[in-house]
Amino acid sequence: LAGDYCYAQGLVRIAATGDLAMVEALGDLVALSAAAVASGRDEDLLPLWRSTAAAIAGECGPGTADAARAAEDAGVDDVWVSDHVILPPGSTSPPADFHDPLVVLTWAAAATDRVGLGTSVLVAPYLHPVVLAKSLASLDALSGGRVIAGMASGWLQDEFRGLGVPFGERGARTDEAIEVCRRLWAGP
């Protein structure tokens, strides 16, 4: 999954499949990443990883299901999506066609049988904790237990402002969301 700012993860484990093209792509990625870090151009890494995931996993948008199947067929262990709701004017990363992460993962889940479905990461303060817990639990149940839920407090002040969420409360809201999810998932 790529164009929806999704990631194909678990590439290291692809070596075990014997797919030489995948192993070569991973080797190229590692070499280019090391060169970017060595030259102090760390900002080059995200587009590099994203484009490599795109090359391995396939097309985006309407092709998300195909990309998820291709990733699964290639031996990728997990597919990952990221989360943003509102982007500042002129933003190029993530792209404008940045879809809701849980909707994208639901689409991917319906098209696959095995790959893990990860959030890298959900910005927890943007969502009501009970709704978040229910959405993740629903996706996990419908996908056969494949959800890998990553949550974080967020960083983009303009996005918080646009959503009416107090930026200074993001840590406490994230802690609360994680606690509520854990309690609800544990049952009565």
Side-chain angles (χ1 to χ4, degrees):
L1 305 171
D4 292 323
Y5 210 70
C6 303
Y7 303 90
Q9 296 282 324
L11 297 177
V12 173
R13 292 174 232 155
I14 288 175
T17 69
D19 186 332
L20 296 180
M22 290 291 190
V23 173
E24 184 176 319
L26 178 61
D28 291 346
L29 177 61
V30 170
L32 290 170
S33 296
V37 170
S39 69
R41 297 190 47 88
D42 296 16
E43 71 275 5
D44 291 344
L45 294 178
L46 181 60
L48 177 63
W49 279 96
R50 190 171 58 219
S51 64
T52 302
I56 291 170
E59 292 297 317
C60 63
T64 297
D66 292 336
R69 274 191 296 275
E72 183 171 77
D73 292 346
V76 171
D77 293 304
D78 315 309
V79 291
W80 293 80
V81 296
S82 191
D83 182 24
H84 280 286
V85 180
I86 300 171
L87 301 172
S91 293
T92 58
S93 181
D97 63 345
F98 194 70
H99 300 299
D100 179 271
L102 298 181
V103 172
V104 172
L105 288 179
T106 300
W107 192 262
T112 60
D113 298 311
R114 180 194 53 76
V115 293
L117 306 162
T119 59
S120 171
V121 293
L122 291 173
V123 184
Y126 296 164
L127 305 163
H128 189 285
V130 174
V131 174
L132 176 60
K134 181 177 181 174
S135 295
L136 287 167
S138 297
L139 177 56
D140 195 55
L142 293 171
S143 69
R146 295 187 283 149
V147 170
I148 306 162
M151 296 181 211
S153 60
W155 59 271
L156 188 56
Q157 244 179 324
D158 288 340
E159 189 172 31
F160 276 82
R161 190 173 16 265
L163 293 170
V165 177
F167 187 74
E169 295 178 13
R170 68 189 192 283
R173 286 174 177 246
T174 301
D175 291 344
E176 177 189 24
I178 292 169
E179 179 61 27
V180 167
C181 286
R182 286 180 173 161
R183 283 187 182 182
L184 291 172
W185 295 337

